[in-house]
Amino acid sequence: MTRTGTRPAPSAQVVTPPPARPRPVGMAGPAGRGRRGRMPYLLLAPALLVLLAALGYPLFRQAVMSFQEYGLAQQFGKPPEWVGIDNYEALLTDPYLWTVVARSVVFCLAVVAATMVIGVMLAVLMTLSPKAPRLVLQIGLLVAWAMPHLASLTVWQWLFDSQYGATGWQRFRLITVPLLKPVLLIVGLLQIIWDLKVFTQIFVLQDAGGITRDTNLIGTYIYRLGIGEGQFGLAAAASWR
Amino acid sequence: MAVRMTPLTRAARSPRLRWTLADIVVVAYALAPVAWLVSLSVKTPATVSDRNFLPRQFTWDNYARIFTADSAEFLRPLLNSIGIVVISTAVAVVIGAMAGYAVARLEFPGRRAVIGVSLLIAMFPQASVISPLFEIERTIGLFDTWPGLVLPYVAFALPLAIYTMAAFFRQLPGDLEKAARMDGATPGQALRKAIVPLAAPGMLTAAILVFIFCWNDFLFAISLTSTESARTASAALAFFAGSARFEEPAGMLSAAAVVITVPIVVFVLCFQRRIVAGLTSGAVKG
């Protein structure tokens, strides 16, 4: 089962301000308006700086690199050459990309469906359980969620490897509760996004054997193109696709 | 109607017991990997691959060896993990608290944009900035250093910190700053004297979540480090060779995996209420 939860269920509704939000303090009184007007931005500035450095600039570099011939030679100082849309052309005409994309989508849909069905079942189970077992269940699930993926995946790797037969895919059905639909929709959407960016699980299990090419999803594909093969231009283009 | 029931079937029909049984099954499934790791980590090399769940020969050797073997293999990465994650958590929570306060309790143009951008970052596939980040860090010398990992950790943990803190600040009484202002405080003083002292519980929740997020990272750790000077424990596991070259390192590997799982388990046991509250605060109270 994929543990997609490095990012906890947020926040989709944060966007709608709650009805009882305290009255904003930044607006009152003419005196000292300049100070008050600046305060939110001063408070936001450090966050913004970090994001620009770790995300904004790399994304910009990424966009530039996707139009350049940028490989290992450029890593060692050779100036990159502008190649226009060559990288995109190379990627889009490579049937392997479409294999990876199709596999990502299928993987994502299957995992989303399974996660949601099992998630609903567990939620029902939690509401029905007596107090003490429910606490145990909650702690057990939290440990499973929070545990370093690498540690648990190491075990899965061996399980697959030695064919202990970790096949326990239970089939759950008949849980379409119309009341839950809006929640399911939001959770489903978030889940789709999370599953599309899955990396650790795939990357580690690929080491269990089998052919990497047959199991790459978008995340691992970009990684192997860029850092694995030094084809930064191509990897950049793949991220923007 | 007089169907005779044995005690067992009667028990099985009690809903209480049935749900408890279901709980046990789920917990067993969820914790199977942990249990398996613990079991492997205390097996001797001779029995490590005997596929028995309960160890036939018990030993602490694997633990002793990961801490006494070449320190570059596990000890140093473990220290890197602790240092990098603690620094990242502290920075992310402080910066996130400031931004969260602005978003939750101040009105300013662009407030919605801030919320939208954080949501976008939370959804952002990290794999797609890995190549340029790698290249940039190589150029400016951050590659394979602590700050080189702290930077992306803080950036990607920020949405989590901002949402948790914003949800926390929203539930504080609305009149706190107003009262402080009545007493003649400037907005800055109102924040420092009235809000900051109350922020500790929210910051603790945010810190726990950010710590778990950073501790579990694998992608940045394997991409932006190359030696033991900054490699974290979970990345080191992937390169684990064991002290003896021709020996299956499974036992030591499991011991190392158990060691990096322990802090997480302790966190969950101590703070499970807070973690659940933090995880749902954005969605429920938002």
Side-chain angles (χ1 to χ4, degrees):
Chain A
M1 198 183 313
T2 331
R3 218 135 347 81
T4 33
T6 29
R7 218 52 61 77
S11 326
Q13 296 167 12
V14 164
V15 184
T16 7
R21 195 154 45 82
R23 226 177 71 77
V25 279
M27 299 305 228
R33 177 172 274 281
R35 257 188 98 92
R36 259 169 247 146
R38 264 205 315 272
M39 197 160 105
Y41 301 105
L42 287 178
L43 288 172
L44 286 169
L48 204 67
L49 259 164
V50 171
L51 291 179
L52 277 180
L55 211 69
Y57 183 64
L59 277 178
F60 167 76
R61 284 281 317 165
Q62 177 99 293
V64 172
M65 260 159 52
S66 72
F67 296 105
Q68 289 176 333
E69 164 80 45
Y70 203 106
L72 281 182
Q74 278 71 21
Q75 279 286 305
F76 295 100
K78 189 167 175 265
E81 193 183 316
W82 290 96
V83 293
I85 57 163
D86 278 13
N87 284 323
Y88 289 93
E89 207 182 304
L91 267 179
L92 294 181
T93 52
D94 179 358
Y96 182 56
L97 172 79
W98 300 108
T99 319
V100 173
V101 170
R103 193 183 293 138
S104 289
V105 171
V106 170
F107 169 85
C108 161
L109 291 180
V111 174
V112 169
T115 316
M116 285 175 62
V117 172
I118 297 172
V120 172
M121 304 224 37
L122 288 179
V124 171
L125 179 61
M126 280 190 120
T127 55
L128 290 174
S129 295
K131 203 168 174 211
R134 183 172 65 217
L135 194 68
V136 175
L137 177 66
Q138 179 167 320
I139 291 173
L141 291 177
L142 276 179
V143 169
W145 165 77
M147 164 178 198
H149 291 162
L150 203 80
S152 60
L153 284 167
T154 308
V155 175
W156 286 111
Q157 218 179 42
W158 290 327
L159 287 175
F160 286 136
D161 193 31
S162 44
Q163 289 155 14
Y164 284 131
T167 52
W169 271 123
Q170 290 104 326
R171 310 258 175 231
F172 294 101
R173 256 176 289 150
L174 300 165
I175 321 189
T176 23
V177 186
L179 262 177
L180 277 179
K181 255 188 192 160
V183 182
L184 288 181
L185 207 70
I186 292 170
V187 176
L189 198 69
L190 295 174
Q191 205 66 52
I192 286 174
I193 296 164
W194 287 325
D195 290 340
L196 270 177
K197 56 181 213 184
V198 59
F199 176 82
T200 309
Q201 287 92 332
I202 307 295
F203 188 84
V204 175
L205 287 181
Q206 280 178 340
D207 282 349
I211 304 156
T212 306
R213 266 187 79 85
D214 289 349
T215 49
N216 267 341
L217 299 186
I218 292 171
T220 51
Y221 178 53
I222 292 171
Y223 175 87
R224 293 196 191 277
L225 259 185
I227 292 179
E229 298 174 27
Q231 312 218 37
F232 294 95
L234 271 185
S239 322
W240 280 108
R241 178 200 33 82
Chain B
M1 287 306 285
V3 180
R4 198 177 296 151
M5 289 198 273
T6 66
L8 198 68
T9 53
R10 191 175 302 134
R13 294 215 174 170
S14 136
R16 239 182 115 79
L17 195 82
R18 211 162 44 207
W19 293 123
T20 306
L21 279 175
D23 284 341
I24 292 170
V25 171
V26 174
V27 170
Y29 180 78
L31 295 189
V34 193
W36 200 273
L37 271 183
V38 174
S39 147
L40 283 176
S41 72
V42 293
K43 285 181 176 179
T44 58
T47 57
V48 76
S49 47
D50 66 358
R51 301 182 179 190
N52 239 30
F53 180 69
L54 291 175
R56 290 205 183 110
Q57 295 171 325
F58 182 92
T59 174
W60 290 113
D61 253 23
N62 293 315
Y63 289 93
R65 277 161 65 196
I66 54 171
F67 286 110
T68 53
D70 182 7
S71 72
E73 283 227 345
F74 186 67
L75 201 56
R76 178 62 209 254
L78 187 64
L79 292 179
N80 287 340
S81 269
I82 295 170
I84 292 172
V85 172
V86 167
I87 295 173
S88 308
T89 305
V91 176
V93 169
V94 171
I95 296 181
M98 291 165 65
Y101 177 80
V103 166
R105 294 178 82 93
L106 300 177
E107 196 60 67
F108 59 97
R111 190 176 146 266
R112 281 180 166 262
V114 173
I115 298 174
V117 167
S118 325
L119 194 64
L120 196 71
I121 297 163
M123 301 289 124
F124 197 83
Q126 292 142 359
S128 64
V129 279
I130 271 298
S131 313
L133 211 56
F134 172 78
E135 197 259 330
I136 292 166
E137 294 207 345
R138 296 272 291 225
T139 316
I140 59 175
L142 273 184
F143 180 75
D144 204 20
T145 64
W146 282 24
L149 273 184
V150 169
L151 184 69
Y153 283 176
V154 170
F156 279 97
L158 262 180
L160 195 62
I162 293 177
Y163 279 132
T164 315
M165 290 312 295
F168 176 79
F169 283 132
R170 275 202 196 100
Q171 47 154 36
L172 293 180
D175 294 336
L176 277 174
E177 291 101 329
K178 217 192 276 170
R181 300 280 303 285
M182 294 270 203
D183 292 340
T186 65
Q189 284 170 331
L191 169 61
R192 271 198 306 280
K193 304 239 165 94
I195 301 289
V196 169
L198 295 175
M203 290 178 92
L204 180 61
T205 308
I208 295 163
L209 295 178
V210 170
F211 185 96
I212 293 176
F213 167 76
C214 297
W215 187 259
N216 289 348
D217 166 73
F218 178 63
L219 174 63
F220 290 116
I222 55 162
S223 307
L224 302 178
T225 65
S226 61
T227 66
E228 76 272 12
S229 59
R231 182 177 284 156
T232 65
S234 55
L237 277 191
F239 296 97
F240 212 79
S243 58
R245 191 152 283 265
F246 300 104
E247 191 182 290
E248 174 83 3
M252 288 169 70
L253 198 60
S254 323
V258 169
V259 170
I260 63 169
T261 309
V262 165
I264 297 298
V265 173
V266 171
F267 263 43
V268 168
L269 288 180
C270 297
F271 300 116
Q272 51 100 9
R273 221 166 268 248
R274 231 168 237 293
I275 295 174
V276 171
L279 288 181
T280 48
S281 64
V284 177
K285 289 178 202 147

